[in-house]
Amino acid sequence: MCGIVGFVGSEQAAPILLDGLRRLEYRGYDSSGIAVCGDCELRVKKVRGRLDVLSELTHQGADLPGTLGIGHTRWATHGEPNDVNAHPHVSSSGRIAVVHNGIIENYMELKNQLIQKGYTFRSETDTEVVAQLLDYYYDQCGDFFEAVMCMLNAVDGAYALGIVCADYPDRMYAARKDAPLLLGYGEGGNYIASDVTALIRYTRDIAYMDDGELAILSAGGIRIYDRQMRPVEKEHHHVDWEIDAAEKGGYAHFMLKEIMEQPRAIRDATAARIQNGRVVFSDLNMTPEQIRAIGKIYIVACGSSYHVGVVGKYNLERMLRRNVEVCLASEFRYSDPIVGEGDLVIVISQSGETLDTMAALREAKKRGARILSIVNVVGSSIARESDDVLYTWAGPEIAVATTKAYSTQMALLNLLGVYFGDIMGTVDYETYTDMVRGIQALPEQMEEILLRREEIHTLAQECAHHEDVFFIGRNLDYALSLEGSLKLKEISYIHSEAYASGELKHGTISLIEDGTLVIALSLYDPLFDKAMSNVVEVQARGARVLALTIDRRAAAMAERVPMVLPIPETEPMLQPQLGVVPLQLLAYYIALERGCDIDKPRNLAKSVTVE
Ligand code: M6R
């Protein structure tokens, strides 16, 4: 997704912008550019492709002298990825440059109005309209601040904007609505960025902009205004993520590093929430009465976060003895959902910025539901708009394919189930203690699996040549197979599907032929025999089966299946927490064998802030 960095201060801006953009590369992008103001002149360089190209083109920024600048990595939404459509966009006068994340919904209408006034457009983007509008208003009123205000009043849609004007080489403007943007307070100057990762090398003192706010940054300070142009005092946050935590730490890929971090991440997410064997959510504002009074429960999310929700549905229904609806956020928002006062909507998001999830949250909130979100990025939009936030504390997740965020989201959902079930009186003492002990033991059991990663690498080598893979499982194994399949397809580009095993015979089994790879999940022990008969069923059609099962069942499985991957056993409801680790590793090593760009798979972005 698009990334924004901006700097104003006493140092040269271009090297800071290039470095900041490099740290945002993980968000996914197809082009990049920077604009720098120096000697009352605006210099812009932008280009399609990797940042290295931009860096080379500008001689590592040396060609663009000046201490004020904005930079951007673009992920195309309007207009194909090319040099012209890349940001920054510059007004016709050549004096105003803009970087933008989001979508200006009324840009066609504004563009037509400006064309009638004699403006010509170079790009196909919605963003160029912002630059030209600023030009127009500045021309009309002669005051740039007023021009920015008029532009903000005219545009509809979502935006995080960084704006510079050559006539004001000592200040930068930033505005936000429905797209993330934060301010960084530094020693030698001040910053804007769409993501804290871009700034931690320069400052750890940050403030999150809220919707409707406008900031004016200079070397000496930052002034912030609300929609009514009243000055705003922002709460400052200290970022304690280490730079190292945002880099690869010795692993070949961020994805592997993040897989390996999972025992630590699970410990961080759960340890402080379990005290003397009891689940304690000091970060939850709901009273026991409110918890007992919960009406319907929805879980709403996208992608892997949605897959956590599918696991959550099985487990919460089991622990709370009530219906739990799990919905794709992109469907929920347009489904006229039957949700209202007294209902609880659990929103799950790593980034806290996924637009579909955000829109679903707002829809549910508008209808009166209480929003409890499970989020990784502190201070993100979803976190800020929720009634209750449980942070996963997984640390920055850089690889596009999520791993540790998935695991920690699931751990929190499981803990929440135990906690709610206890209050609602639906979880008995034995289940409560088994679940709590099980959660506490997860990090060590995960470490055991991680130590055997070379074994999984060998299996991956045997599977890497397949072009079609089916993941099958029942119940929690089905829920987990959804994630196993997504992990594999998104990073290895192998076509893969996840099926509830019992559903195969209703059509899909016709696709199984000699040599088709079927990854059979048989971790949910109450249904081991059923899983076994599905294995036999696909083998009879020629499938090559790789079975994932618990240690205790490995021998029985090995009697029928040549490739068996056994993992430690835990509470059946917690088994997906362990099962996901070998599936992540399998996907990782298969993608490695196929020479794929693992951390930045094609066509994907880490944070999906468009619809
Ligand atoms: O940041 P979110 O959890 O809201 O993101 C939702 C999905 O885009 C995300 O889980 C995606 O499916 C994963 N990156 C896939 O690995």
Side-chain angles (χ1 to χ4, degrees):
M1 204 52 50
C2 302
I4 290 178
V5 189
F7 172 74
V8 54
S10 50
E11 292 171 49
Q12 288 299 303
I16 295 174
L17 300 177
L18 290 170
D19 179 65
L21 292 179
R22 196 165 296 289
R23 287 172 202 284
L24 295 180
E25 277 191 298
Y26 71 92
R27 295 165 68 100
Y29 68 103
D30 48 56
S31 50
S32 59
I34 54 176
V36 176
C37 278
D39 312 322
C40 285
E41 208 182 303
L42 185 66
R43 297 180 182 86
V44 181
K45 287 275 184 227
K46 49 187 194 165
V47 69
R48 181 180 180 167
R50 293 281 183 198
L51 257 174
D52 290 341
V53 183
L54 180 68
S55 201
E56 236 170 75
L57 191 74
T58 60
H59 296 98
Q60 285 69 50
D63 290 358
L64 287 81
T67 57
L68 165 69
I70 47 179
H72 191 266
T73 47
R74 176 174 188 253
W75 192 73
T77 55
H78 290 66
E80 66 176 81
N82 60 29
D83 295 0
V84 178
N85 287 335
H87 298 213
H89 286 282
V90 179
S91 67
S92 294
S93 68
R95 308 202 65 71
I96 299 163
V98 173
V99 288
H100 167 222
N101 186 6
I103 292 174
I104 305 297
E105 284 166 8
N106 59 340
Y107 85 102
M108 277 312 292
E109 182 191 324
L110 294 169
K111 189 170 178 175
N112 288 336
Q113 288 167 11
L114 286 162
I115 289 170
Q116 276 165 22
K117 292 183 199 304
Y119 280 86
T120 50
F121 283 76
R122 281 166 289 219
S123 77
E124 303 155 86
T125 65
D126 51 337
T127 306
E128 194 181 357
V129 155
V130 175
Q132 302 289 32
L133 256 188
L134 283 167
D135 200 295
Y136 169 72
Y137 287 125
Y138 186 35
D139 216 29
Q140 297 287 302
C141 66
D143 180 282
F144 196 62
F145 180 70
E146 208 180 313
V148 173
M149 298 285 304
C150 293
M151 177 278 292
L152 292 176
N153 283 332
V155 296
D156 289 334
Y159 50 78
L161 288 167
I163 302 165
V164 294
C165 174
D167 296 346
Y168 302 88
D170 58 350
R171 75 191 71 157
M172 170 169 50
Y173 294 80
R176 170 202 156 123
K177 185 174 164 276
D178 292 334
L181 195 61
L182 54 93
L183 305 166
Y185 299 80
E187 290 289 322
N190 293 304
Y191 306 79
I192 59 168
S194 46
D195 188 318
V196 75
T197 324
L199 298 189
I200 48 179
R201 191 166 157 210
Y202 303 98
T203 180
R204 290 172 176 279
D205 182 10
I206 61 148
Y208 295 97
M209 288 189 75
D210 281 302
D211 278 353
E213 286 179 349
L214 168 67
I216 306 174
L217 297 90
S218 62
I222 305 180
R223 280 178 291 142
I224 304 152
Y225 300 93
D226 68 9
R227 281 196 178 91
Q228 285 74 42
M229 281 303 114
R230 292 174 302 215
V232 177
E233 280 303 319
K234 301 292 297 181
E235 187 189 342
H236 285 224
H237 296 263
H238 178 77
V239 180
D240 50 17
W241 287 357
E242 290 307 319
I243 287 193
D244 245 22
E247 290 174 356
K248 283 188 208 139
Y251 290 102
H253 296 95
F254 281 112
M255 184 179 175
L256 184 58
K257 172 176 176 271
E258 287 158 8
I259 291 173
M260 299 299 288
E261 280 172 354
Q262 288 178 109
R264 196 268 310 144
I266 292 281
R267 228 172 256 131
D268 286 356
T270 58
R273 288 167 170 138
I274 301 175
Q275 289 167 18
N276 303 321
R278 303 288 303 167
V279 182
V280 181
F281 275 112
S282 51
D283 38 0
L284 197 66
N285 300 315
M286 294 179 82
T287 62
E289 290 69 39
Q290 285 172 321
I291 291 168
R292 279 191 281 268
I294 292 172
K296 288 195 290 282
I297 299 179
Y298 285 85
I299 305 176
V300 178
C302 299
S304 296
S305 298
Y306 165 79
H307 296 160
V308 170
V310 181
V311 173
K313 175 184 163 68
Y314 283 105
N315 285 353
L316 292 189
E317 287 191 342
R318 214 158 268 156
M319 288 190 270
L320 309 183
R321 301 315 305 153
R322 58 174 69 204
N323 289 333
V324 176
E325 292 270 333
V326 55
C327 308
L328 289 164
S330 52
E331 290 296 318
F332 180 88
R333 61 183 296 195
Y334 296 119
S335 66
D336 193 8
I338 307 167
V339 61
E341 223 163 296
D343 297 339
L344 180 70
V345 175
I346 302 175
V347 173
I348 308 177
S349 175
Q350 186 283 132
S351 61
E353 301 293 350
T354 303
L355 190 81
D356 284 325
T357 310
M358 187 70 204
L361 177 159
R362 286 182 177 159
E363 187 60 44
K365 206 171 176 182
K366 199 172 76 192
R367 291 167 187 249
R370 188 177 182 109
I371 311 293
L372 187 164
S373 63
I374 297 180
V375 172
N376 192 35
V377 179
V378 176
S380 55
S381 305
I382 288 175
R384 283 181 294 136
E385 294 200 19
S386 302
D387 298 301
D388 298 274
V389 187
L390 302 180
Y391 285 116
T392 46
W393 300 327
E397 195 179 62
I398 307 293
V400 166
T402 186
T403 51
K404 60 179 179 172
Y406 173 93
S407 294
T408 49
Q409 288 165 352
M410 196 190 291
L412 288 196
L413 212 47
N414 281 323
L415 269 187
L416 198 68
V418 176
Y419 182 73
F420 278 3
D422 183 45
I423 291 172
M424 290 175 177
T426 48
V427 165
D428 59 26
Y429 175 77
E430 204 189 332
T431 311
Y432 189 99
T433 46
D434 286 352
M435 284 293 281
V436 169
R437 283 194 198 127
I439 289 170
Q440 286 174 314
L442 286 175
E444 226 170 281
Q445 292 180 304
M446 279 181 162
E447 265 152 20
E448 263 181 64
I449 301 171
L450 293 170
L451 279 175
R452 286 169 33 210
R453 61 186 182 281
E454 270 317 305
E455 213 180 293
I456 299 170
H457 193 168
T458 308
L459 281 173
Q461 283 164 335
E462 287 186 35
C463 298
H465 63 281
H466 285 273
E467 292 303 333
D468 294 291
V469 179
F470 292 87
F471 284 75
I472 60 168
R474 282 175 189 262
N475 201 277
L476 282 171
D477 284 334
Y478 166 60
L480 179 59
S481 70
L482 292 171
E483 179 62 6
S485 169
L486 178 63
K487 279 292 84 85
L488 182 67
K489 75 182 101 182
E490 69 178 325
I491 60 167
S492 73
Y493 316 142
I494 292 176
H495 166 247
S496 127
E497 314 238 8
Y499 276 94
S501 314
E503 186 62 15
L504 281 177
K505 58 186 173 293
H506 298 289
T508 311
I509 203 156
S510 63
L511 292 173
I512 308 289
E513 54 188 17
D514 253 359
T516 305
L517 181 62
V518 173
I519 300 184
L521 273 54
S522 163
L523 296 166
Y524 185 63
D525 204 49
L527 296 179
F528 178 81
D529 293 340
K530 298 272 174 201
M532 193 57 127
S533 46
N534 289 122
V535 164
V536 174
E537 190 179 48
V538 292
Q539 276 181 327
R541 271 85 184 168
R544 188 170 174 239
V545 175
L546 163 58
L548 188 59
T549 191
I550 51 176
D551 287 332
R552 187 164 49 84
R553 299 288 197 175
M557 186 60 86
E559 278 173 24
R560 300 231 44 130
V561 174
M563 293 189 289
V564 179
L565 190 48
I567 63 164
E569 187 171 2
T570 177
E571 262 302 290
M573 280 194 277
L574 297 176
Q575 204 64 59
Q577 297 258 206
L578 296 179
V580 74
V581 179
L583 294 179
Q584 294 164 344
L585 285 168
L586 195 68
Y588 173 79
Y589 286 121
I590 288 178
L592 192 69
E593 289 302 313
R594 292 167 71 99
C596 298
D597 191 353
I598 293 180
D599 284 336
K600 293 180 213 119
R602 68 187 182 205
N603 305 336
L604 291 178
K606 182 67 181 165
S607 177
V608 186
T609 52
V610 289
E611 194 176 351

